[in-house]
Amino acid sequence: MANITIGADPEAFLLNTARYEVISAVGIVPGEKGSPVQLEGLKPGHNFHRDNVMIELGVPPTDDPMRFVDQINNAVRYANQWLCDAGHRNVELWRACDIIQCPDAMLATPEAQEFGCEPDNDAYEGGAQRDAPEGILGNYRSAGGHIHIGTDTGFNCPPFIVALLCDAYIGFNTPTGDPVDYDKQLQYWYRKPGLYREKDYGIEYRSPSNQWLFNNNLAYKYSAMALNIGRFCSEANAKDIRKLIEQI
């Protein structure tokens, strides 16, 4: 039997609660990709760092959806406490929205123009890599809710098939918190179905918004579904996997 795990690295905007204004994480949140800040008092793997103008959280992999929910809640709580302890008492992770159109001043740093450390793969193009978003994003930024599926045996199908199943059972059911009717061309980048990255542990499914981050029911539902998808794709034979894909 395969050992299947789930993890995540969701992003969130920061809110100044005194002014009820979304602010940049640049200059507030330390750390960067590959060198995050560990959250003291929690199990190793709970961490955070700045990603573009947002904060990104990390949690260690687990095979238990309830533990996954607990780890997410702890990461959010400890990150908010870190902000307070660091002197940012009116700043917290924003729960209301996963995409905003930022004012120019919020994007006036080199860090605000950094997008992704590696290219995404598109499941609907057989796993082909897609281009970087230069010239597409403008002042829009979004906070993703990326979900990790790990397997110690490998999948019995190409990784893009795993991402297609994630779309069917997770991505197409993920709510958003949009307060704006953003330019539809941005759908090429934000929440585009079938986005994933191949990883040593399995895949990182990148299509969902971050709205499950603040909803325990959704966090449990999606993590349990991710576990089931990972197990099915690791243990079922190719014929059964193909049959399921054809049914959906």
Side-chain angles (χ1 to χ4, degrees):
M1 179 178 291
N3 179 32
I4 309 300
T5 59
I6 45 173
D9 60 340
E11 304 155 344
F13 291 104
L14 296 183
L15 180 70
N16 183 309
T17 57
R19 304 195 303 265
Y20 201 77
E21 175 186 14
V22 179
I23 59 175
S24 174
V26 178
I28 295 177
V29 176
E32 58 186 16
K33 288 185 182 296
S35 184
V37 177
Q38 298 300 314
L39 287 167
E40 296 184 8
L42 294 177
K43 178 181 177 181
H46 291 85
N47 55 59
F48 69 92
H49 67 274
R50 181 200 54 78
D51 185 0
N52 200 279
V53 296
M54 294 160 287
I55 185 172
E56 181 175 305
L57 305 177
V59 296
T62 179
D63 60 1
D64 182 351
M66 284 300 297
R67 187 176 299 119
F68 177 82
V69 174
D70 288 342
Q71 291 182 161
I72 288 293
N73 287 337
N74 285 336
V76 171
R77 184 170 65 254
Y78 273 65
N80 279 328
Q81 186 61 52
W82 182 93
L83 288 166
C84 182
D85 293 344
H88 308 290
R89 291 180 174 79
N90 294 320
V91 178
E92 63 181 32
L93 277 65
W94 194 29
R95 298 169 177 263
C97 186
D98 66 306
I99 181 170
I100 64 170
Q101 189 172 21
C102 302
D104 290 340
M106 188 173 169
L107 304 180
T109 61
E111 294 88 346
Q113 306 306 320
E114 297 173 354
F115 302 101
C117 55
E118 54 187 283
D120 291 340
N121 300 91
D122 187 339
Y124 294 92
E125 297 293 337
Q129 292 184 346
R130 65 171 186 165
D131 297 331
E134 289 185 35
I136 295 175
L137 299 178
N139 281 26
Y140 286 98
R141 297 294 183 271
S142 77
H146 309 154
I147 298 172
H148 307 167
I149 303 178
T151 174
D152 65 346
T153 62
F155 300 120
N156 293 332
C157 60
F160 77 86
I161 297 295
V162 184
L164 291 176
L165 290 173
C166 287
D167 263 1
Y169 294 103
I170 300 174
F172 293 151
N173 299 303
T174 305
T176 64
D178 290 358
V180 295
D181 182 19
Y182 64 95
D183 191 330
K184 298 307 178 185
Q185 73 168 331
L186 296 176
Q187 289 180 347
Y188 173 81
W189 189 256
Y190 292 145
R191 299 191 225 101
K192 185 178 186 292
L195 295 183
Y196 71 98
R197 289 177 183 170
E198 296 184 29
K199 297 290 186 177
D200 291 341
Y201 57 77
I203 74 162
E204 176 186 13
Y205 177 51
R206 295 177 55 82
S207 293
S209 74
N210 75 343
Q211 292 299 287
W212 60 263
L213 175 61
F214 306 109
N215 184 315
N216 287 345
N217 289 334
L218 287 180
Y220 180 88
K221 176 181 177 181
Y222 295 158
S223 59
M225 189 59 68
L227 275 174
N228 289 337
I229 291 169
R231 186 165 305 285
F232 177 75
C233 291
S234 297
E235 298 180 356
N237 60 50
K239 182 179 179 180
D240 288 341
I241 296 173
R242 180 174 180 176
K243 182 178 179 181
L244 178 59
I245 288 290
E246 290 174 346
Q247 289 175 346
I248 60 177

